[in-house]
Amino acid sequence: MSLLERAVIVPPPRRVALTEPAWVRRVVIGAGVVFLTLFVLVPLAAVLTAALSHGAAAYARSISDPAALRALKLTLIAAAIAVPLNLVFGVAASWAIARFRFRGRALLITLIDLPLAVSPVIAGMVFVLLFGSHGLLGPWLQDHGWRVIFALPGIVLATTFVTFPFVARELIPLMEAQGSEEEEAAMVLGASGWQMFVRITLPKIKWGLLYGVVLCTARAMGEFGAVSVVSGNVRGRTSTLPLHVEILYNEYEYQAAFAVASLLVLIGIASLLARRVIAARVDRSRQEAT
Amino acid sequence: MTITVSSITKRFGSFTALDDVSLEVPSGALVALLGPSGSGKTSLLRILSGLEQPDHGSTLLDGVDLGSQSARQRNVGLVFQHYALFRHLDVFENVAFALRVRKVPNDVVETRVRELLQLIQLEGLGRRLPSQLSGGQRQRVALARALAARPRVLLLDEPFGALDAQVRAELRSWLRRLHDEIHLTTVFVTHDQDEAFEVADRVVVMNHGKIEQVGTPAEVFEHPANDFVMRFLGHVNVLEAHLESGRARVGDVVVELAGHEEESPRPGRVYVRPHEVEIGRAQTAGAFPARVVRVTPLGGGLKIELTAPSLGSSLRAEVDWERGSALGLRDGDDVFLSLRRARVFAQAA
């Protein structure tokens, strides 16, 4: 997935022999523009128009509504826990996969992709099965005063599960391209494992890591399916931003729903911009590796 | 520091990189590990540096076993084939790295790095990134970085492999002068015999994970221990022959072999270096006719490809310019050859 994205972001080198006749180019570009307008720009404009349909004051009221603010806070908390967890996991997994050949390596690579392959709803169901009141661990946890499902821990678990491929998928190809000679050099020069990681490896991978974190954060804040299943979607208590939008929509508060949705759109656009800037740097560090 | 390698064996899967190798590098020596790729020379270097562990055998520095020491504890300087400079650190910090991780005070680091940059003639380039340096400059930075913490021995893996011919030649003689100044026990890996002979005090010829011969460049060149060493050290004419007591019969030509009088008759090979082929215009005793196929200039002389029907083989000869111009050879000329020196080796197992 990330390879495709990069192909879009970085223009391919221009080859005159491969340049199509002008009308072909116009048709292809025109088709792309029409498609994007219909499926991206129009809906986006619709969201913003609907959000502002009752004026700026109503918009401000909708997004400063206590329930909306609590949903925003919950979204940020979930992301603030899930993203660092996935950062650590992603770096550790990529390190293991890029540096070592071990039994089960192929399996680990496949497992990292699992959350992208299964529907998020199923991911949510798995946690309900495990931690729900009729689940495997749920009753025991409840006896000890722990609520997972319909509470913050469940939301964090679901978010973490859904977003864990992003950092690792970004780092593995980068680390494989860069090789480990510099790390070997650092060791021979007397660096401890930690010194080697902090002084050599981390600077080498920082742009790729940042790119993965941005993708991971955007997905963590936008996740609907898995979180919807585990959170119970209690208004103002266990609803994250996407869930809050759904609640408002189901209550026919269209203007408020779109106002809150516009926050998610802003988060999305911000992460897109960040990705563009960072992707260029990742590409550079990959080129320097070769 | 004296390096002792004793009965080292190293396998990678089914491939035996080193097969019961033993070697002693005297303190202060500059030794070349010379061999084709896959001969085990780089594996041996990596084992000395601690980056690889041998399956059997041990390595010792001044008699102290290194087996229990990790790469970071050994304090050896290692220069990688592709330098492995830290791409995000400038030249100064690359060189300073070994001191930084040892928490050496800043002013000491400053002095030591300045001193090393002077040694490698790169003062003033301390703030450059490795990507802004030429190949030869990177090579020297890698060397300075390896020397920063005053290593006990210096190991270099194909140190000039990635450089173009002229820079190579300069760096070779620079490395030799540097070694004469600092007298650090040094082992370097190369597949280039000219490089090994020019730089090293002693040459260790390796093949298939074993050491074929150890000696000074002159010893190895003059007295190759076996046919592998003979073939590996530059071009050699290999002639199928029948060996008898003290002589070899190659086609219709008889070649005297001093020191092989007790040889029992057997088929074998005779090795003649190009400069050991004598070319003349006139028939002399023992000379045999040949025809010049092609004359090409080569360094300080001429390379001459010949066919000799009486040998049943083609040959290469080399003569210096003076001799070459005296002979005035042209393609297609008929000449007479004699072999000044020919070598035979015990049959390879």
Side-chain angles (χ1 to χ4, degrees):
Chain A
M1 188 181 88
S2 58
L3 270 180
L4 264 179
E5 281 166 356
R6 191 154 300 117
V8 173
I9 291 164
V10 180
R14 199 184 165 84
R15 272 172 246 154
V16 178
L18 289 180
T19 298
E20 305 295 338
W23 68 270
V24 175
R25 267 184 284 159
R26 272 191 216 117
V27 167
V28 172
I29 293 170
V33 170
V34 169
F35 186 86
L36 279 179
T37 311
L38 276 179
F39 286 87
V40 180
L41 287 183
V42 171
L44 213 64
V47 170
L48 293 178
T49 332
L52 292 165
S53 59
H54 296 230
Y59 179 82
R61 251 197 324 281
S62 311
I63 59 174
S64 58
D65 174 70
L69 286 181
R70 265 199 295 270
L72 175 64
K73 192 175 151 197
L74 191 60
T75 303
L76 292 178
I77 291 173
I81 299 172
V83 172
L85 275 179
N86 283 330
L87 180 93
V88 172
F89 164 79
V91 171
S94 329
W95 182 280
I97 286 169
R99 296 277 188 271
F100 309 119
R101 296 288 173 269
F102 52 91
R103 201 183 283 250
R105 181 172 173 270
L107 185 69
L108 183 57
I109 296 174
T110 312
L111 282 180
I112 286 174
D113 280 347
L114 187 71
L116 293 175
V118 302
S119 162
V121 176
I122 294 167
M125 300 290 289
V126 169
F127 288 111
V128 172
L129 278 176
L130 277 176
F131 300 112
S133 49
H134 301 291
L136 282 174
L137 302 169
W140 184 86
L141 284 169
Q142 254 169 12
D143 291 346
H144 291 77
W146 282 81
R147 273 181 76 81
V148 175
I149 300 304
F150 305 150
L152 181 66
I155 295 173
V156 170
L157 276 176
T159 308
T160 309
F161 177 83
V162 169
T163 56
F164 84 61
F166 292 100
V167 173
R169 281 176 66 96
E170 197 50 46
L171 287 186
I172 291 167
L174 181 66
M175 288 173 96
E176 282 185 336
Q178 287 177 333
S180 48
E181 255 204 344
E182 287 174 61
E183 278 78 4
E184 286 185 343
M187 261 164 59
V188 175
L189 288 167
S192 65
W194 179 247
Q195 283 173 322
M196 176 181 83
F197 179 73
V198 171
R199 287 170 182 262
I200 305 303
T201 307
L202 211 50
K204 269 168 73 181
I205 62 169
K206 67 180 172 197
W207 290 105
L209 189 60
L210 200 56
Y211 189 87
V213 165
V214 168
L215 289 182
C216 184
T217 310
R219 181 68 195 269
M221 291 187 173
E223 177 54 29
F224 178 83
V227 174
S228 171
V229 174
V230 297
S231 74
N233 211 350
V234 183
R235 180 176 179 151
R237 295 226 0 244
T238 62
S239 66
T240 58
L241 275 185
L243 300 183
H244 190 62
V245 172
E246 196 211 15
I247 292 172
L248 290 171
Y249 184 83
N250 288 342
E251 293 172 352
Y252 304 106
E253 296 188 41
Y254 294 134
Q255 182 272 327
F258 283 112
V260 177
S262 72
L263 287 182
L264 284 168
V265 170
L266 284 181
I267 291 172
I269 291 175
S271 74
L272 267 181
L273 290 179
R275 280 162 65 177
R276 258 209 87 115
V277 175
I278 296 166
R281 301 299 299 256
V282 177
D283 248 65
R284 206 186 308 165
S285 52
R286 194 169 303 195
Q287 273 162 16
E288 278 166 14
T290 54
Chain B
M1 288 265 166
T2 305
I3 305 172
T4 312
V5 171
S6 125
S7 317
I8 293 259
T9 296
K10 175 74 184 174
R11 288 191 187 84
F12 296 101
S14 61
F15 176 72
T16 303
L18 291 169
D19 186 3
D20 195 26
V21 166
S22 297
L23 176 68
E24 178 136 337
V25 178
S27 188
L30 176 46
V31 170
L33 301 180
L34 175 65
S37 60
S39 60
K41 52 199 196 310
T42 295
S43 297
L44 183 53
L45 205 71
R46 287 175 64 87
I47 285 172
L48 285 173
S49 72
L51 288 173
E52 303 277 359
Q53 294 300 317
D55 300 331
H56 302 287
S58 53
T59 47
L60 299 92
L61 258 190
D62 272 357
V64 179
D65 195 335
L66 290 176
S68 58
Q69 295 182 7
S70 69
R72 61 178 292 242
Q73 294 165 325
R74 289 189 184 189
N75 193 18
V76 300
L78 175 61
V79 175
F80 288 77
Q81 183 173 7
H82 300 290
Y83 322 135
L85 294 178
F86 305 130
R87 69 195 83 183
H88 62 286
L89 297 178
D90 61 24
V91 167
F92 188 98
E93 286 304 322
N94 262 283
V95 176
F97 188 85
L99 307 171
R100 297 277 188 226
V101 297
R102 286 173 175 77
K103 314 246 186 273
V104 172
N106 236 332
D107 51 327
V108 181
V109 174
E110 192 86 13
T111 322
R112 176 72 179 144
V113 175
R114 296 259 165 265
E115 186 183 303
L116 283 161
L117 289 181
Q118 202 172 358
L119 183 76
I120 61 168
Q121 298 147 15
L122 287 182
E123 312 106 304
L125 296 189
R127 291 296 156 220
R128 292 268 185 96
L129 285 174
S131 56
Q132 299 166 315
L133 300 178
S134 71
Q137 290 171 330
R138 288 182 206 179
Q139 172 61 51
R140 282 180 281 157
V141 173
L143 194 60
R145 182 179 71 175
L147 291 173
R150 300 185 193 283
R152 300 188 287 174
V153 297
L154 181 62
L155 310 171
L156 305 107
D157 187 4
E158 295 277 3
F160 314 118
L163 301 169
D164 58 54
Q166 200 183 340
V167 182
R168 263 173 108 111
E170 280 168 25
L171 275 177
R172 273 185 208 168
S173 54
W174 179 78
L175 178 65
R176 181 67 234 185
R177 286 199 308 275
L178 182 76
H179 181 262
D180 293 340
E181 274 173 44
I182 61 179
H183 290 299
L184 187 58
T185 310
T186 303
V187 178
F188 81 99
V189 159
T190 180
H191 63 269
D192 179 339
Q193 55 123 348
D194 291 339
E195 193 165 290
F197 284 5
E198 183 178 334
V199 180
D201 309 322
R202 293 166 78 77
V203 176
V204 178
V205 185
M206 295 186 68
N207 186 33
H208 291 313
K210 284 182 180 284
I211 292 178
E212 300 281 357
Q213 190 173 6
V214 182
T216 65
E219 278 166 12
V220 173
F221 190 75
E222 279 307 311
H223 307 286
N226 53 40
D227 59 339
F228 172 79
V229 178
M230 184 78 214
R231 282 163 182 267
F232 194 69
L233 303 179
H235 188 89
V236 62
N237 297 299
V238 183
L239 306 169
E240 297 295 336
H242 188 81
L243 308 181
E244 300 159 8
S245 58
R247 60 174 62 172
R249 192 177 295 279
V250 186
D252 305 331
V253 179
V254 174
V255 187
E256 296 297 324
L257 296 171
H260 290 274
E261 284 77 9
E262 74 291 353
E263 194 85 52
S264 53
R266 64 171 170 96
R269 291 200 179 99
V270 172
Y271 296 80
V272 182
R273 289 204 166 109
H275 68 267
E276 293 163 345
V277 178
E278 176 86 38
I279 303 180
R281 283 288 188 181
Q283 170 76 284
T284 53
F288 53 94
R291 173 164 290 174
V292 176
V293 176
R294 193 172 151 76
V295 182
T296 27
L298 174 82
L302 293 174
K303 181 179 93 179
I304 303 144
E305 302 286 346
L306 302 137
T307 52
S310 50
L311 284 182
S313 167
S314 55
L315 275 187
R316 186 201 273 193
E318 281 166 26
V319 295
D320 59 25
W321 272 110
E322 242 168 280
R323 177 78 184 136
S325 50
L327 284 166
L329 293 173
R330 284 169 198 283
D331 297 358
D333 280 3
D334 289 311
V335 292
F336 292 93
L337 303 182
S338 52
L339 306 178
R340 264 198 300 263
R341 176 156 192 198
R343 292 178 172 85
V344 296
F345 297 100
Q347 253 164 328

